[in-house]
Amino acid sequence: MTAQIIDGKAFAATVREKVAGHVTRLKEESGITPGLAVVLVGEDPASQVYVRSKGKQTVEVGMNSYEHKLEADTSEEDLLALIDKLNNDPAVHGILVQLPLPGHLNEDLVINSIDPAKDVDGFHISNVGLLGTGQKSMVPCTPLGCLMMLRDHHGSLSGMNAVVIGRSNIVGKPMAQLLLGDSCTVTIAHSRTKDLPEVVRGADIVVAAVGRPEMVPGDWIREGATVIDVGINRIERDGKNKLVGDVDFESASKVAGAITPVPGGVGPMTIACLLANTLTACCRANGLAEPDGLTA
Ligand code: NAD
């Protein structure tokens, strides 16, 4: 079998188009422009690239982008004061604090100081609880992107066996909650899981979110399974720098029914879902109908 490639780049473009269309209508009908504030503390090079890309795409879909760049030695008090200001700014519908923060800042405290209704990353403890109890919440962007691709590919996920490898708060755990919400039978595997290959062989859906280059080989994959590869790993091969996922694409794509590539799979969906979440937050804040197909 040769797997169908799930093209995250193309899918993300359709999500952005949908968001842009809705933003245009929102502006025409209600005079409201959704706004996303991104806060970057320090000068981590990878974070700077992500923040630039987020700002650019926010403007491209017609939303307002507000970037706040703070010095690496910014005090917790000053950062919390900025978040308080953004929480109370009606032009700001989404707030994202780029992680990781410098070591002297308490990430949990900072994230939990964001108004949950504006927490477009879905990391606030209230949103985690709402998602866990199946209530309307802001959903973390990367798992939301994975869910959208799975729904698009399968239609209903009901009754499918899903194995999520990785139990992080950002990807693994919310991914498992979303799959459970769509009536999958979910297993969360992690670094202490016994006989991981056998666990993965039982899956109709495999979501790999580990951060270990190509650790999942094709002979762990059940024939015809759908594989979502969240991993982004930079490696050197044949003297060149390369991005690879957590799944060995070459062997897995010979067995799987469908698979996301790295790059061009889950990655592009993450920012597209951030824009979708900002639009959703804006609609909720103004008591307007939420766009279809852009939330969990
Ligand atoms: P993390 O380090 O927080 O969590 C990794 C998880 O993998 C842990 O729960 C750990 O138990 C598990 N793990 C480690 N070794 C294992 C092993 N040998 N067997 C089974 N499980 C093992 O990482 P994260 O933030 O969840 O990110 C995971 C990967 O996804 C990284 O490569 C990251 O770069 C990528 N990522 C991509 C996006 C995107 O937009 N595509 C977004 C977030 C993270």
Side-chain angles (χ1 to χ4, degrees):
M1 169 172 253
T2 306
Q4 182 185 331
I5 306 297
I6 300 179
D7 184 346
K9 203 172 161 195
F11 197 96
T14 67
V15 171
R16 285 196 303 272
E17 250 170 59
K18 226 174 174 175
V19 171
H22 207 93
V23 169
T24 303
R25 282 195 300 282
L26 204 61
K27 285 181 183 172
E28 282 169 6
E29 290 165 16
S30 331
I32 299 166
T33 304
L36 172 64
V38 177
V39 180
L40 174 64
V41 187
E43 288 174 1
D44 178 70
S47 294
Q48 284 181 325
V49 173
Y50 288 137
V51 166
R52 242 195 324 273
S53 185
K54 284 167 186 172
K56 184 169 168 272
Q57 293 190 35
T58 303
V59 171
E60 278 168 5
V61 295
M63 297 183 183
N64 290 328
S65 166
Y66 309 101
E67 278 182 27
H68 296 268
K69 292 186 177 158
L70 307 181
E71 298 292 327
D73 62 356
T74 298
S75 69
E76 205 159 79
E77 198 188 350
D78 285 351
L79 178 56
L80 293 178
L82 171 63
I83 292 173
D84 188 51
K85 205 173 116 208
L86 298 173
N87 282 342
N88 290 299
D89 184 344
V92 172
H93 304 96
I95 302 169
L96 179 148
V97 177
Q98 185 66 41
L99 301 178
L101 288 171
H104 67 286
L105 300 169
N106 179 337
E107 269 183 17
D108 287 339
L109 181 78
V110 169
I111 296 303
N112 289 325
S113 72
I114 298 172
D115 177 350
K118 297 189 179 189
D119 167 39
V120 281
D121 251 344
F123 297 157
H124 189 289
I125 194 76
S126 297
N127 282 315
V128 175
L130 290 167
L131 178 62
T133 49
Q135 301 179 68
K136 205 185 248 192
S137 64
M138 295 308 303
V139 178
C141 303
T142 300
L144 178 58
C146 297
L147 183 75
M148 282 185 189
M149 290 193 285
L150 284 167
R151 282 180 176 168
D152 182 67
H153 184 73
H154 285 286
S156 168
L157 308 180
S158 180
M160 296 179 87
N161 286 335
V163 173
V164 179
I165 318 175
R167 56 175 161 182
S168 73
N169 291 336
I170 292 173
V171 189
K173 283 184 204 154
M175 186 73 246
Q177 296 286 6
L178 288 171
L179 291 165
L180 196 57
D182 270 30
S183 301
C184 290
T185 303
V186 183
T187 304
I188 306 180
H190 46 78
S191 52
R192 304 291 173 89
T193 297
K194 285 186 187 148
D195 203 355
L196 185 60
E198 224 22 61
V199 172
V200 176
R201 281 185 195 113
D204 304 310
I205 293 170
V206 181
V207 181
V210 183
R212 287 176 160 242
E214 300 172 330
M215 73 163 270
V216 180
D219 67 359
W220 292 14
I221 306 293
R222 178 193 275 187
E223 177 137 16
T226 301
V227 178
I228 305 289
D229 191 351
V230 182
I232 302 177
N233 308 291
R234 284 174 178 80
I235 61 159
E236 207 187 296
R237 183 170 289 156
D238 305 328
K240 286 184 190 151
N241 290 325
K242 225 184 146 215
L243 273 191
V244 297
D246 291 341
V247 176
D248 175 31
F249 185 83
E250 199 182 323
S251 59
S253 60
K254 293 195 173 92
V255 200
I259 188 166
T260 59
V262 177
V266 176
M269 286 299 288
T270 298
I271 299 186
C273 287
L274 173 68
L275 305 175
N277 276 351
T278 304
L279 174 61
T280 299
C282 176
C283 292
R284 287 180 187 169
N286 290 284
L288 300 168
E290 288 173 31
D292 283 337
L294 294 180
T295 45

